Amino acid sequence: DFDGSADYYSIPGTNTGYDAFDFNGTAKFTIAAWIWNDSSSGRRVIFGNSDGTSPTDCYDFMVENGRLYASFAGAGTASDTFGIKALSGWQLVHALYDPAGAKITHYRNGVEGSSPNSENVAGNPTYTNMQPSIGFSGDGTGSTTEYWDGRISQVCVWNRHLTEAEIQGQFDLGLTGNWKTTYSTGMVGYYNFSIADGTDAPSTSTLYDLSGNNYDMTGTSIAAVLTNYTPSNASKRLTH
């Protein structure tokens, strides 16, 4: 349970994969997560690779004042949009980014729901002092945090747009479904708290990337990880 005040995972400094999530202004990509939202106020980041300013430099996916929200900023302009209300309880959320096409599309529980988008993004963002993060804006300076308040079961980033059929298929798999088995194409990083880290005791310090890219994240102020599944072997990589 992320406490909304200090808990998050990130790829800091020059650790493996710290720049693998630095998408340019013409990239199409998808972020998905199973979330449980405990807060209806403020900005609460699910996945961030930004400095947290307004408008945000680079990109983030969050719940803002109870609604899904996503943004992407290029060299001079930014695109952003709200999705539908993020209710309490477990829900599957997706954000599909198309910055050059001035389009960010939200899904909740396999159903599209987005407000009109803003302008298209011009130019490429500059990733300075950003770190890919779960439950945190990604601001490497620490000046803007926007910590997640609630629970997260799994998070994945793809360097492509998922189809609506794929999104609905992930929802049908449920909370503990393994996305690596069917949806591995284009995976950049995949983090599944239900599978934990492949050992008998879930790790609070390292969140292992199950995509096969080994872009592992480091935990900050994480007191405990609760998981629905404990693997029976010592391997730290998901097999299927």
Side-chain angles (χ1 to χ4, degrees):
D1 193 5
F2 293 77
D3 64 7
S5 62
D7 297 352
Y8 68 96
Y9 285 95
S10 66
I11 305 177
T14 57
N15 290 12
T16 301
Y18 81 99
D19 58 352
F21 300 84
D22 293 356
F23 297 108
N24 63 36
T26 60
K28 293 183 179 181
F29 62 100
T30 302
I31 303 173
W34 276 101
I35 63 169
W36 182 301
N37 178 37
D38 283 344
S39 176
S40 60
S41 63
R43 292 162 60 93
R44 305 292 184 174
V45 174
I46 302 164
F47 187 94
N49 195 14
S50 71
D51 61 4
T53 58
S54 182
T56 296
D57 290 327
C58 303
Y59 68 91
D60 50 28
F61 182 30
M62 68 175 71
V63 172
E64 179 173 331
N65 295 324
R67 294 179 64 190
L68 295 173
Y69 174 80
S71 68
F72 187 105
T77 56
S79 179
D80 68 339
T81 185
F82 280 96
I84 61 178
K85 186 176 181 180
L87 303 175
S88 61
W90 285 112
Q91 56 209 297
L92 177 61
V93 296
H94 289 77
L96 280 64
Y97 294 74
D98 180 10
K103 184 73 172 177
I104 301 174
T105 304
H106 290 277
Y107 284 80
R108 187 177 70 83
N109 293 341
V111 180
E112 181 182 351
S114 304
S115 64
N117 283 241
S118 59
E119 63 185 316
N120 66 306
V121 173
N124 295 324
T126 299
Y127 292 89
T128 302
N129 294 322
M130 285 79 164
Q131 51 193 31
S133 302
I134 294 173
F136 171 58
S137 68
D139 182 0
T141 68
S143 60
T144 305
T145 54
E146 301 171 338
Y147 296 117
W148 178 252
D149 186 4
R151 285 171 264 179
I152 296 176
S153 176
Q154 52 183 311
V155 178
C156 191
V157 180
W158 292 264
N159 60 12
R160 65 180 181 92
H161 278 181
L162 297 186
T163 67
E164 188 167 279
E166 288 177 312
I167 291 170
Q168 292 170 349
Q170 289 176 351
F171 178 67
D172 290 341
L173 277 177
L175 184 64
T176 59
N178 174 10
W179 294 345
K180 178 64 185 286
T181 303
T182 307
Y183 307 103
S184 61
T185 301
M187 270 188 178
V188 181
Y190 176 37
Y191 309 92
N192 191 325
F193 291 91
S194 292
I195 296 173
D197 64 354
T199 65
D200 290 337
S203 171
T204 58
S205 60
T206 303
L207 180 59
Y208 288 92
D209 171 22
L210 305 178
S211 72
N213 293 324
N214 298 342
Y215 298 152
D216 300 337
M217 291 195 172
T218 300
T220 299
S221 297
I222 301 294
V225 176
L226 302 178
T227 179
N228 298 313
Y229 172 71
T230 301
S232 59
N233 60 66
S235 170
K236 292 184 181 296
R237 301 295 163 202
L238 181 65
T239 58
H240 59 87

